[in-house]
Amino acid sequence: EAAVTQSPRNKVTVTGGNVTLSCRQTNSHNYMYWYRQDTGHGLRLIHYSYGAGNLQIGDVPDGYKATRTTQEDFFLLLELASPSQTSLYFCASSPRRSAETLYFGSGTRLTVL
Amino acid sequence: GDKVKQSPSALSLQEGTNSALRCNFSIAATTVQWFLQNPRGSLINLFYLVPGTKENGRLKSAFDSKESYSTLHIRDAQLEDSGTYFCAIASSSFSKLVFGQGTSLSVVP
């Protein structure tokens, strides 16, 4: 079973704050993804990557940066957090492409006051 | 958006009964995945399908690519089946999975 670990589990910050969400997968998957989940919108893709140093823009990228430092590690950065970014964030990985089985982390609940 | 529609949006089942969830899509899909988000918030893989059917215990899923839909059948529903079920499709038109809005299932004694 693929392992995807997210940290922190919960985070509270203030408007304008700087936040980094971390994700690590230990199954040598090429693809990694950041989603946000909001009531009424379901899961929306923020950014994704197909390998170390690569970054692809998702469907809702505004206000977010991401960096894939190694094959295992994918970070989501909010440099000027806003209340609209209060959400449940999921990291996921898949072996090759999005058509492959997706494995999710446990989620990070972010609150921006 | 509305490329993937799940129905019903919410459902309450009595323990021990059966039901089916549906996922309709307006674009051609190559694969379908089903996930369960449990009450703790974790997203769990249930099925990954090419056209055809798969079965796992009390769950069975079918994907008809010609008619553009997929179903998830739950047999003998248990309390631990409660949660939100999401389908997601892969399409040659998009490089990313497209998710439905989910079906919220509550299994009651």
Side-chain angles (χ1 to χ4, degrees):
Chain A
E1 185 71 20
V4 181
T5 304
Q6 290 183 236
S7 63
R9 195 67 201 266
N10 293 282
K11 176 74 177 177
V12 179
T13 189
V14 295
T15 299
N18 194 321
V19 176
T20 298
L21 307 185
S22 302
C23 179
R24 165 164 280 210
Q25 55 94 6
T26 57
N27 285 276
S28 302
H29 286 175
N30 288 340
Y31 278 76
M32 296 185 74
Y33 311 81
W34 278 107
Y35 287 90
R36 61 177 290 174
Q37 185 180 28
D38 306 284
T39 304
H41 292 281
L43 281 152
R44 294 183 289 176
L45 183 63
I46 304 170
H47 289 298
Y48 66 105
S49 164
Y50 56 71
N54 175 264
L55 181 65
Q56 302 293 316
I57 293 171
D59 299 319
V60 289
D62 292 346
Y64 301 96
K65 292 184 179 179
T67 179
R68 181 91 176 267
T69 54
T70 64
Q71 186 172 29
E72 294 79 18
D73 298 300
F74 195 30
F75 300 93
L76 186 68
L77 302 100
L78 292 74
E79 294 181 332
L80 285 171
S82 74
S84 64
Q85 293 176 306
T86 293
S87 186
L88 180 58
Y89 291 86
F90 285 101
C91 175
S93 72
S94 64
R96 289 191 291 272
R97 287 202 58 183
S98 62
E100 299 289 333
T101 303
L102 212 60
Y103 296 91
F104 283 93
S106 300
T108 295
R109 185 163 295 281
L110 174 66
T111 302
V112 184
L113 301 175
Chain B
D2 292 320
K3 296 182 182 64
V4 180
K5 290 186 180 178
Q6 291 187 241
S7 59
S9 56
L11 179 64
S12 181
L13 280 183
Q14 195 139 29
E15 208 174 359
T17 60
N18 307 330
S19 190
L21 312 182
R22 191 165 173 110
C23 178
N24 290 309
F25 19 98
S26 58
I27 56 176
T30 53
T31 64
V32 173
Q33 298 185 40
W34 285 91
F35 301 89
L36 167 61
Q37 187 169 31
N38 63 24
R40 290 173 55 194
S42 296
L43 280 156
I44 303 161
N45 303 59
L46 297 177
F47 291 103
Y48 170 77
L49 293 155
V50 294
T53 61
K54 279 191 178 177
E55 193 164 354
N56 184 4
R58 296 179 293 101
L59 300 180
K60 181 176 179 179
S61 186
F63 169 28
D64 187 328
S65 57
K66 291 181 181 176
E67 299 297 325
S68 296
Y69 74 91
S70 177
T71 54
L72 177 67
H73 294 261
I74 303 172
R75 175 174 54 81
D76 185 24
Q78 301 296 304
L79 298 177
E80 61 263 29
D81 295 332
S82 295
T84 302
Y85 290 79
F86 291 97
C87 67
I89 66 167
S91 166
S92 55
S93 304
F94 299 92
S95 59
K96 308 172 284 286
L97 283 179
V98 182
F99 281 83
Q101 296 292 317
T103 293
S104 176
L105 174 66
S106 177
V107 180
V108 297

